[in-house]
Amino acid sequence: MIFRQITIFIAFSLTCLISAGCSDDYTRIHSLKATLSEAPEVHGANTSMDPHSGTFRFTGKVNTNRQNDIKKQEKYEAHSKTFYTDVTYIMGGNDFTAKTDFFYKLSGFFIGTGAGYKDGIFHHFLLGANLQHVEFGLFFGLFHQYSDLEYKGSECKTVYHIFSDNEENCNPLEEHHYIFSTSPFAGVFTGIILGNTFLNYSASVYSPSIDINDYSLNTPFIISNYFTLGYRFNRWVEMSVGSILTYVSTPLWYYGFTIGASLYL
């Protein structure tokens, strides 16, 4: 039975090669432009919480970053061939962040979760220590980013023959549309609490995910560093200002500024 199946398979393959030929479809991307965002910001409670207590926080921020067009050439393998793509990442500009957080303190340690919007939806979990004058911890989550994607390339079909040269037919491809992509992100945070004043540092990192047909772009790691100085006026309201320093592994650093307000419940 096995010999019979192998014989049928070989006969079918030879018929395919000798007669019409076997074909292979693939997409080549010659140039690509994509808008990318800074990594999402996550930090702690900004105050020393009472043990076995919880709080909700609602935050709105306006962000402004120096706009950059980051150019590089990507190499990728497909169909036993090596291709190159001219890539431009467009980052920076003005945007806003809206976010809600929940924190619960056990004893010295606290946990948290949150969700927000910044060029797409992100959500995360947080674990750390919340002490009288210091807090620190780590976080991880998912970033569902909204990107403007523009690319030019070719849709190709290769027909293989056993007794004649292979045929390759390509048609031009040009697209401009918006995509949602999902990428994991993670980071660490620390903060100093001095009465109603707080100073935070948060480092957040992710690598954007961009897929076009059978082409997957090797996107760089994006590391965003947030430095925030804030003041809590009363139990419910706080204001903050800060700076953003983002590193893109091309390599490139660029900066920005942020201002925001939070409401606690």
Side-chain angles (χ1 to χ4, degrees):
M1 177 64 72
I2 295 177
F3 177 77
R4 181 172 177 271
Q5 291 176 341
I6 294 175
T7 303
I8 293 174
F9 174 77
I10 294 174
F12 175 79
S13 300
L14 289 174
T15 302
C16 172
L17 290 170
I18 293 172
S19 58
C22 295
S23 64
D24 186 13
D25 299 336
Y26 64 95
T27 301
R28 285 190 60 185
I29 304 299
H30 305 298
S31 64
L32 181 144
K33 292 182 179 180
T35 59
L36 299 179
S37 176
E38 299 78 24
E41 179 187 9
V42 179
H43 55 83
N46 298 339
T47 188
S48 179
M49 298 176 61
D50 294 329
H52 307 289
S53 66
T55 184
F56 283 95
R57 179 176 66 204
F58 302 92
T59 303
K61 286 191 173 184
V62 176
N63 312 302
T64 178
N65 291 278
R66 183 170 65 90
Q67 184 164 327
N68 290 277
D69 291 349
I70 304 164
K71 300 180 183 295
K72 63 180 302 187
Q73 191 174 72
E74 289 283 0
K75 175 183 176 181
Y76 69 101
E77 304 287 336
H79 304 271
S80 301
K81 298 179 181 179
T82 300
F83 299 117
Y84 294 89
T85 302
D86 294 321
V87 180
T88 301
Y89 302 117
I90 302 171
M91 299 188 64
N94 301 318
D95 62 12
F96 71 95
T97 302
K99 190 169 184 286
T100 180
D101 293 281
F102 174 74
F103 302 102
Y104 186 82
K105 183 173 179 179
L106 301 170
S107 179
F109 288 91
F110 74 132
I111 58 175
T113 184
Y117 174 87
K118 177 179 169 56
D119 297 327
I121 303 297
F122 64 93
H123 46 90
H124 64 85
F125 293 96
L126 172 151
L127 174 65
N130 180 263
L131 308 176
Q132 183 177 1
H133 296 296
V134 177
E135 63 178 355
F136 56 88
L138 52 85
F139 57 87
F140 61 92
L142 293 176
F143 185 18
H144 310 279
Q145 185 175 178
Y146 185 63
S147 299
D148 184 357
L149 198 65
E150 182 179 355
Y151 56 90
K152 296 180 181 179
S154 303
E155 289 184 329
C156 299
K157 174 182 286 188
T158 302
V159 180
Y160 301 97
H161 299 283
I162 193 171
F163 295 124
S164 60
D165 294 336
N166 298 332
E167 300 177 34
E168 183 170 86
N169 300 312
C170 295
N171 295 315
L173 173 67
E174 185 172 351
E175 296 285 348
H176 184 189
H177 56 258
Y178 297 89
I179 64 168
F180 272 105
S181 59
T182 299
S183 306
F185 74 97
V188 296
F189 68 90
T190 186
I192 299 174
I193 304 164
L194 298 173
N196 293 329
T197 303
F198 59 89
L199 178 64
N200 285 332
Y201 167 70
S202 173
S204 183
V205 59
Y206 83 109
S207 179
S209 175
I210 299 177
D211 295 306
I212 304 170
N213 297 337
D214 55 354
Y215 171 83
S216 181
L217 184 64
N218 295 320
T219 51
F221 280 98
I222 298 173
I223 305 172
S224 294
N225 302 270
Y226 293 88
F227 303 87
T228 305
L229 176 64
Y231 184 81
R232 193 161 180 173
F233 293 93
N234 50 46
R235 179 181 175 183
W236 300 281
V237 179
E238 73 179 24
M239 297 286 294
S240 65
V241 295
S243 62
I244 310 169
L245 187 61
T246 297
Y247 170 80
V248 184
S249 58
T250 38
L252 178 70
W253 288 87
Y254 71 97
Y255 60 88
F257 301 95
T258 180
I259 183 171
S262 297
L263 174 66
Y264 287 82
L265 296 176

